[in-house]
Amino acid sequence: MLYLLFKYFATAFLVIVISEIAKRNDRLGGLIAALPIVTLLTMIWLKIENTDNQKIANHAYYTFWYVIPTLPMFLLFPKFISLYGFWIAISLSIIISIFIFIVWNFVLAKWGIKLL
């Protein structure tokens, strides 16, 4: 139980630190947020918990394929927020990301890569 609380604290702490940095410096906050810190931390947690190496490798592999369809959101969101405000922009970004992910899933399936 203590280990689980530590994982929650460490992960939450990371998100808070990144958001505080982003408040002070847009570029540095964006750079740090773009780093695969959460994925690396997840793989470390999995290793510490004696998860099979193949399972950890699969996590990294699928993370790569899941990141690609989310990238357009980072280009669309700045435009949307200036046009519609934060909540509509974030909602549109989520909806568009889901749509792109569904299309991406069908495209990859033709190459034998199954995401869902």
Side-chain angles (χ1 to χ4, degrees), residues 78-114:
K79 184 66 173 171
F80 289 160
I81 198 169
S82 66
L83 293 173
Y84 308 114
F86 178 81
W87 293 111
I88 292 175
I90 203 84
S91 298
L92 285 172
S93 296
I94 291 168
I95 291 166
I96 290 169
S97 293
I98 290 169
F99 174 76
I100 293 171
F101 176 78
I102 291 168
V103 171
W104 184 241
N105 184 55
F106 284 116
V107 169
L108 290 180
K110 294 185 185 297
W111 292 338
I113 300 169
K114 187 170 183 173

Side-chain angles (χ1 to χ4, degrees), residues 12-68:
F13 178 78
L14 213 71
V15 172
I16 291 167
V17 167
I18 293 168
S19 69
E20 290 301 313
I21 291 170
K23 278 196 260 183
R24 290 161 179 73
N25 186 319
D26 300 345
R27 290 186 179 131
L28 183 58
L31 170 64
I32 295 169
L35 296 172
I37 296 169
V38 173
T39 301
L40 293 171
L41 195 54
T42 301
M43 291 189 294
I44 291 168
W45 296 143
L46 290 170
K47 184 61 180 172
I48 290 171
E49 295 165 1
N50 296 316
T51 303
D52 179 57
N53 284 343
Q54 186 57 51
K55 192 89 159 160
I56 298 169
N58 287 344
H59 175 76
Y61 175 79
Y62 286 112
T63 299
F64 170 79
W65 292 112
Y66 290 134
V67 163
I68 294 171

